[in-house]
Amino acid sequence: MARSSLTREEVLSAAAALVRQHGPQTLTMRKLAAELGTAVTSIYWHVGNRESLLDALVERTVQEMGTLRPAGRAPAPRIVSVARALRRELRARPHLIAMVHERGLTERMFLPAQQALVHEVHAAGLRGARAAAAVRAVQIHTVGFLLVERNRERSPVQSPGEGDLWSTSTAGGDPALARALTRPADPDRLFHTSVRALVDGLLAGGGNEGPADPEPPDRNRG
């Protein structure tokens, strides 16, 4: 029997869950209605047609990505916390993020995270071009790390694997290094370590409002 009461938010939450599990291409109004135990007409009444539903899911995702909040007291940990929260939120909804990108709203989606980073780098004493460079560096590092991470997760089993390639000789005579490299990397720990090192470097000499470091020469130019 169809449910007598249903809210738009319940419809969107169920649709988002289906997209996260199976991708947007498998989302149909009939499947969504079955998931909610209601009639298809009820779904249409709340969210319109399928394209309207997808648009609403995209807008909802953009809004959810705007809830990132820094944690910690000192500037560096607070910036790192924004980066970690951004990675976590992006990992949690890959199909929805892809939908945002397809509709040309990626920059809008990232704006709240960028604004949070701006606030924190300002608090650390960076201004102007240096502040902009810091914000972009943290964002690009976070997104780039996530792309590499997901690519490794999806890649076929490697033979030989990473653990088979490292020995004392291939590690430059450093057996401890070889042992460490034969063990699988912890992505969470690696991300925290790398983004903290990046942030520490960006904040070194904070308060200098001069221009950012000059760009490296373009080797493709004559």
Side-chain angles (χ1 to χ4, degrees):
M1 184 173 65
R3 290 175 53 178
S4 58
S5 63
L6 187 67
T7 66
R8 175 181 171 85
E9 184 57 30
E10 287 177 314
V11 173
L12 292 178
S13 294
L18 287 174
V19 169
R20 281 197 296 267
Q21 293 171 18
H22 308 295
Q25 68 280 358
T26 64
L27 178 63
T28 66
M29 306 303 265
R30 188 176 299 278
K31 182 180 292 187
L32 180 56
E35 181 74 15
L36 289 165
T38 191
V40 174
T41 53
S42 179
I43 302 297
Y44 280 107
W45 190 87
H46 282 290
V47 295
N49 61 23
R50 185 175 183 276
E51 280 304 307
S52 297
L53 170 61
L54 294 178
D55 286 341
L57 285 177
V58 166
E59 185 60 35
R60 188 175 188 265
T61 302
V62 170
Q63 292 175 359
E64 288 174 345
M65 292 297 293
T67 62
L68 301 179
R69 297 290 181 271
R73 295 184 178 180
R78 288 176 66 84
I79 295 171
V80 170
S81 75
V82 173
R84 295 180 71 180
L86 178 59
R87 171 176 170 262
R88 182 174 60 250
E89 293 300 317
L90 292 173
R91 277 192 61 84
R93 42 178 69 80
H95 293 305
L96 292 167
I97 299 301
M99 288 169 54
V100 171
H101 181 70
E102 289 170 1
R103 280 163 170 72
L105 293 173
T106 304
E107 296 302 327
R108 179 181 163 195
M109 180 187 69
F110 279 125
L111 181 60
Q114 290 175 317
Q115 290 176 314
L117 290 171
V118 165
H119 183 271
E120 300 308 323
V121 299
H122 275 171
L126 300 186
R127 290 292 188 276
R130 288 191 179 278
V135 169
R136 286 174 171 162
V138 172
Q139 179 186 346
I140 290 172
H141 177 81
T142 303
V143 175
F145 187 98
L146 179 61
L147 290 174
V148 172
E149 185 178 16
R150 290 190 62 79
N151 184 63
R152 287 177 66 90
E153 291 172 351
R154 295 170 177 171
S155 64
V157 175
Q158 302 295 303
S159 181
E162 188 176 30
D164 301 318
L165 296 172
W166 289 104
S167 64
T168 300
S169 60
T170 56
D174 187 339
L177 172 62
R179 287 192 298 271
L181 289 174
T182 61
R183 295 191 292 268
D186 180 338
D188 293 335
R189 183 182 296 274
L190 181 58
F191 180 75
H192 178 82
T193 300
S194 60
V195 77
R196 181 58 194 258
L198 171 65
V199 170
D200 287 344
L202 291 167
L203 298 188
N208 183 352
E209 298 187 19
D213 293 337
E215 296 182 359
D218 186 344
R219 299 185 183 278
N220 294 323
R221 293 179 181 175

